[in-house]
Amino acid sequence: MTGIGRATALAFAQEGARIVVSGRRDQEGQALTQELRDRGVEAEFVLADVRHEDDVAQPWSTRPWARFGRLDVAVNNAGTEGKAGPVTEQTPESYAATFRHQRARCAAQHEI
């Protein structure tokens, strides 16, 4: 968990929030969760890839609510690892792959 997701988790933690971190990179997610816990924050990590609905449907429908009782805020900021460069230089395949990854809607419908 890096970039915007990490910064957002740390900002919410600084304000006293309990945090559920979710992502497809286990090592980074576990490291951020441990960093939050080291700061005295209640935190949990859920390994999930928003490109796969089965990943987000099960963890998000049970784990956060079971531990914290409710969801007050959700930040869906899944990133992508597409081909770098101007959109005019993208192939139809690389363009489609970039936006196929943007499945925050998939996670959001299971958070509601």
Side-chain angles (χ1 to χ4, degrees), residues 24-85:
R24 60 192 164 100
R25 293 190 179 103
D26 189 47
Q27 185 175 359
E28 288 87 345
Q30 296 290 353
L32 177 56
T33 301
Q34 187 58 53
E35 180 180 349
L36 291 165
R37 289 176 180 161
D38 290 345
R39 294 177 183 213
V41 175
E42 288 184 71
E44 180 175 342
F45 175 66
V46 176
L47 181 63
D49 185 336
V50 298
R51 295 174 295 180
H52 308 289
E53 187 163 2
D54 289 345
D55 278 9
V56 294
Q58 183 60 34
W60 284 104
S61 65
T62 58
R63 292 182 73 183
W65 284 267
R67 176 154 184 210
F68 299 130
R70 67 178 194 249
L71 173 68
D72 294 321
V73 177
V75 178
N76 297 306
N77 70 307
T80 186
E81 297 173 352
K83 179 181 172 190

Side-chain angles (χ1 to χ4, degrees), residues 76 103-112:
N76 297 306
R103 298 282 311 262
R105 171 212 56 83
C106 182
Q109 75 184 88
H110 294 287
E111 294 163 349
I112 296 174

